[in-house]
Amino acid sequence: MTAAEVDPADSDTRARRRARLRNEAQDIALEMFAERGYEHVTMAEIAEALDVAERTLFRYFPTKESLLDPAHEELVEQLVSELAGRPPSESAFTAVRESLRALGDELTHDQAAMIARTEIINSHPSLQAHMLRRQGELEDAIASVVANRSGINPETDIRPTLFAATAVCALRVAVDRWVSADTDQDLLSYIEVSLDALAAGLGDL
């Protein structure tokens, strides 16, 4: 093996270590935020609890807010890829629902952890603003793919942007209902119900 070659086993090991560190960092941060309050915990203290350098923690989480927003970029990238690959004959709602179903494993969160994150976010305006920015990024990504699938110019046709906004709103409502429910149902089932209700129309309310 030359210096330029990479052993797949080594690559997999590094990926698992990165994933483990990310998960541990999120768990520790969430525990510290819940015990001491979000504003009273620093990145340096989280890094110390993890027994890693602060710069290492910043490589995985560029801001403290991102510790409460796990794998956002990765999930958006995966959703866009799945959505772009859906059959053109599918409606936008069906394509989004099926794309999310394909990401079922990534959407299966620890409900207790999600509740704790939601409570922390809802109690801090700065975190709420952060989540709104994240939702805006997701809306832009969905609108772009829907426009491309439909051959529509989103600058002159409002429909892709409007669809993306309503779809993301449906996701938010589904997550809110899921974290507040005492149920064994998974998050994906709530998302599907929410999207199907929008697709069917709400004109009979």
Side-chain angles (χ1 to χ4, degrees):
M1 181 181 296
T2 67
E5 294 176 324
V6 177
D7 187 338
D10 290 342
S11 180
D12 289 344
T13 298
R14 287 195 293 272
R16 287 194 296 270
R17 287 174 178 169
R18 288 194 295 268
R20 184 166 58 248
L21 178 59
R22 285 180 63 92
N23 291 335
E24 290 176 355
Q26 291 161 11
D27 290 342
I28 288 174
L30 188 59
E31 182 178 346
M32 294 174 72
F33 294 158
E35 289 179 352
R36 296 166 49 191
Y38 173 81
E39 65 277 14
H40 299 302
V41 178
T42 68
M43 291 290 276
E45 290 171 328
I46 296 170
E48 182 179 1
L50 278 168
D51 195 24
V52 300
E54 187 175 359
R55 65 179 179 275
T56 299
L57 181 61
F58 272 111
R59 283 206 299 269
Y60 291 91
F61 300 95
T63 65
K64 191 166 72 167
E65 292 92 339
S66 61
L67 282 158
L68 291 167
D69 187 19
H72 171 81
E73 287 82 4
E74 292 91 338
L75 283 174
V76 170
E77 183 178 342
Q78 290 178 55
L79 177 59
V80 166
S81 177
E82 290 287 344
L83 186 55
R86 297 303 306 173
S89 59
E90 287 183 344
S91 69
F93 275 112
T94 298
V96 168
R97 186 182 65 243
E98 294 304 317
S99 297
L100 289 169
R101 183 177 290 163
L103 300 180
D105 290 342
E106 287 80 2
L107 294 173
T108 304
H109 298 291
D110 182 327
Q111 190 170 15
M114 180 73 86
I115 292 172
R117 281 197 294 269
T118 300
E119 289 176 347
I120 293 170
I121 290 169
N122 288 342
S123 63
H124 291 81
S126 64
L127 291 176
Q128 293 176 33
H130 171 76
M131 294 307 296
L132 284 174
R133 289 193 297 272
R134 290 302 210 185
Q135 289 177 18
E137 293 169 3
L138 180 56
E139 288 178 18
D140 291 343
I142 291 175
S144 177
V145 178
V146 168
N148 288 334
R149 279 169 44 88
S150 305
I152 292 173
N153 181 355
E155 298 297 324
T156 58
D157 192 319
I158 196 174
R159 289 177 294 168
T161 301
L162 183 59
F163 167 79
T166 56
V168 172
C169 181
L171 295 179
R172 180 183 59 78
V173 169
V175 171
D176 287 346
R177 288 295 181 94
W178 183 68
V179 300
S180 63
D182 182 13
T183 178
D184 292 330
Q185 285 185 287
D186 60 21
L187 175 57
L188 183 58
S189 65
Y190 277 79
I191 291 174
E192 290 182 337
V193 167
S194 188
L195 288 172
D196 286 346
L198 275 182
L202 302 175
D204 58 346
L205 284 178

